[in-house]
Structures are given as C-alpha cells and as structure tokens.
Amino acid sequence: MLHLLELNGSLNMLGYGLATLGPALGVAWIFASVINGTARQPEARGAMLSTAWIGFAVVEALAIIGIALAFVLQ
C-alpha cells in the first residue's frame, strides 16, 4: 500500500517555526527604525542604539521562551 504522507515529529515545532516570524519582524523593525533615525538625526545615534539593544534583548527573550515551551509541551 502506498503511503502518501508520513508525518513524524511534533506540531509544537511547526508552531515554533511560525512563532519565530514575530521576533524576526520585531528585530528587523527595531534596527530599521534606528537606521532611519540615525539618517534623520545623526547626533542621537548613541541614545537610539542603546535603546535598540534593550528592545532587541526583550524580543529575543520571547523567541527563547517560545523554543523552551515547544520542547516542554511535547
């Protein structure tokens, strides 16, 4: 008998793969805003960049929590 599709694994990983789109877009928007702000007002680069790193850390923490939950809920 022909098996057309055999699915092995967990749907949690598929969910995590979709959930990584949020942090990816968040990081892209954060640094795009810093580049845009630096182009408009170069002297404020330091303040914007330090705030961007804090935002980057928070957004990436969400991605790390997501992967931890994907493995815990298997």
Side-chain angles (χ1 to χ4, degrees), residues 34-45:
V34 169
I35 291 169
N36 190 14
T38 302
R40 291 175 183 258
Q41 193 171 3
E43 64 272 7
R45 179 181 181 270

Side-chain angles (χ1 to χ4, degrees), residues 3-55:
H3 293 283
L4 296 177
L5 178 66
E6 184 175 329
L7 181 63
N8 292 326
S10 174
L11 286 176
N12 291 342
M13 290 300 134
L14 181 63
Y16 176 68
L18 291 173
T20 57
L21 293 175
L25 289 174
V27 168
W29 286 336
I30 286 170
F31 287 107
S33 296
V34 169
I35 291 169
N36 190 14
T38 302
R40 291 175 183 258
Q41 193 171 3
E43 64 272 7
R45 179 181 181 270
M48 286 187 286
L49 201 54
S50 63
T51 305
W53 284 113
I54 294 169

